[in-house]
Amino acid sequence: MNSALYLDQAHHFPREFAWGVATSAFQIEGAAQADGKGPSIWDTFCKVPGAIADASDGTVACEHYQRWESDLDIVANLGVNAYRFSVSWPRVRPGGAGAWNAQGLDFYERLVDGLLARGVAPYLTLNHWDLPQELQDQGGWANRDTVHRFVEYALGVHDRLGDRVASIATHNEPWVMAMLGHEIGNFAPGVKNRAIAAQVAHHLLLSHGLAVQALRAEGCKADLGIVLNLSPTQPATNAPEDQARTVLEDGRLVRWYMDPLFKGSYPADVMNHLGEDAPTVEAGDMAAIQTPIDFLGVNYYTRTVISAAGPWDVKQGGLELSDMGWEIYPEGLTQLLMRLHQDYSLPPMYVTENGGAFKDELHNGRVHDLARVKYIKEHIGAVAEAMRQGVKMGGYMVWSLLDNFEWASGYEKRFGIVHVDYASQQRTLKDSALWYRNFLQRQKAASLAAVSTGD
Ligand code: IFM
């Protein structure tokens, strides 16, 4: 596919299309103990020797908690009309239950009002992984009580911000929290137990459904949805074992989340595979999970290639790799969106994250990150292609606004379209940011022209 070509012809993005940049609280805010914030499971996990590649943590990060105003000026200056951010649960309700922290809530109120004052719509995510440590001490997401604490948290945030945000996503990437956090254990809280991971996944989905119901009952005006990390799963060879394994892995990554959300049941093949490790599901849970939503957020970075013989070596794919070692495969985004559109009855989808880590170099105030420009351009082209084939898309958001704390990789991997010098906290727009700004200006001009010609 030549996605650059698609992009050149892609002037039909609707005027109301959300063009954004995305971040998350723990990755940029810093101020880990400021103004009454409680510890999260990531504050704890960062202290585990060897857990984070560069032994760093989120104590300072991008100092966004202090620099939010100038960061929002950068957002506005890019010309985006949407900004996706997350609320830190332990900043607004430090113990996950009990007292609320007024200073934390005030921060997000200033942030939301600051976005609106700059003409940028706030896209809020409630849970981007930083569970209050006190809840983890009681079992975390493996404990069904956490589901109810999450619903309270959703309502509390809605009380303060619900009238001004464009959308509320319950969770970011439940697969990551369940699988990396509880089965593989390389992410917080670092548990390695397949049965617990399956129960965690179920509780995340259940808390999503119950929170959506509770927010609707409150008369929430914002669009409600969830954000999943998804990818097309492909067999390494045509061998039957690779193909069978691919079906299962697709089940664990895609259908395990999509089926309950949009069909009301877990996929039978994955349930059978889990056997005794399958989660406990109580009466009414599946109906709650299937509560209709207004949007589905899709985070896409790469494809997943499966070999029954063991981990597949990405070098065999012959594709360019990002600095994460992930294959760059824009076609996969079109394939994924088409497949979701065909297999499920969906509300509009948003690409809520897409971007690449590359080895950037800052010279004389410029970062010539041409690989990232190409990456973003081709993936926007892939979205345009899906739309041309009939998929209903609401927006596209680049991950990420700023270089930031990339979880177990620490600060070594840079995803930002804005460079952050961590010593001085100076921000520099990379060439990808300049390209995106220019692209958005052309989009705006094209839709204005379409309005004046009545297209
Ligand atoms: O940085 C993460 C983000 O927090 C969740 N989605 C994937 C990104 C890149 O790894």
Side-chain angles (χ1 to χ4, degrees), residues 289-301:
I289 295 172
Q290 208 192 352
T291 302
I293 50 179
D294 304 310
F295 72 93
L296 171 68
V298 174
N299 293 352
Y300 175 81
Y301 290 90

Side-chain angles (χ1 to χ4, degrees), residues 55-87:
S56 64
D57 58 35
T59 309
V60 177
C62 305
E63 283 187 356
H64 173 73
Y65 187 74
Q66 292 86 356
R67 296 169 184 270
W68 64 272
E69 280 191 276
S70 46
D71 285 343
L72 293 196
D73 288 342
I74 295 174
V75 171
N77 183 261
L78 289 172
V80 296
N81 57 12
Y83 176 63
R84 177 171 178 247
F85 67 99
S86 76
V87 171

Side-chain angles (χ1 to χ4, degrees), residues 24 27 128-129 172-173 299 301 324 326 353 399 404 406-407 415:
S24 88
Q27 292 178 274
H128 199 122
W129 310 351
N172 182 72
E173 303 183 351
N299 293 352
Y301 290 90
M324 296 298 280
W326 298 345
E353 285 182 26
W399 183 269
N404 60 51
E406 177 53 25
W407 308 111
F415 272 93

Side-chain angles (χ1 to χ4, degrees), residues 310-391:
W312 186 72
D313 178 4
V314 284
K315 290 195 202 95
Q316 291 176 33
L319 298 174
E320 283 172 50
L321 304 180
S322 75
D323 195 32
M324 296 298 280
W326 298 345
E327 291 183 307
I328 300 175
Y329 189 60
E331 294 90 330
L333 180 53
T334 310
Q335 291 163 8
L336 173 68
L337 296 171
M338 292 295 301
R339 180 264 176 113
L340 298 174
H341 171 71
Q342 277 154 10
D343 288 2
Y344 300 91
S345 173
L346 295 177
M349 285 188 278
Y350 289 69
V351 174
T352 32
E353 285 182 26
N354 176 244
F358 295 97
K359 290 213 181 304
D360 298 322
E361 285 177 30
L362 176 66
H363 281 309
N364 301 325
R366 292 293 297 268
V367 179
H368 298 305
D369 59 336
L370 299 183
R372 185 176 289 104
V373 172
K374 184 166 182 277
Y375 184 104
I376 295 173
K377 190 173 175 178
E378 293 191 344
H379 284 80
I380 293 176
V383 173
E385 177 55 19
M387 291 170 79
R388 232 188 307 279
Q389 295 192 45
V391 181

Side-chain angles (χ1 to χ4, degrees), residues 155-170:
L155 288 172
V157 171
H158 173 260
D159 249 16
R160 280 296 285 271
L161 307 173
D163 57 336
R164 279 157 289 161
V165 296
S167 92
I168 299 178
T170 52

Side-chain angles (χ1 to χ4, degrees), residues 5 31 74 82 113 128 153 156 165 173 206 213 236-237 243 277 285 295 305 314 327 330-331 371 373 375 402 427 447:
L5 175 67
I74 295 174
D113 289 344
H128 199 122
Y153 163 56
V165 296
E173 303 183 351
L206 177 62
Q213 289 182 352
T237 71
Q243 300 207 17
D277 291 342
D285 287 3
F295 72 93
V305 180
V314 284
E327 291 183 307
E331 294 90 330
V373 172
Y375 184 104
L402 303 171
R427 276 72 162 140
S447 33

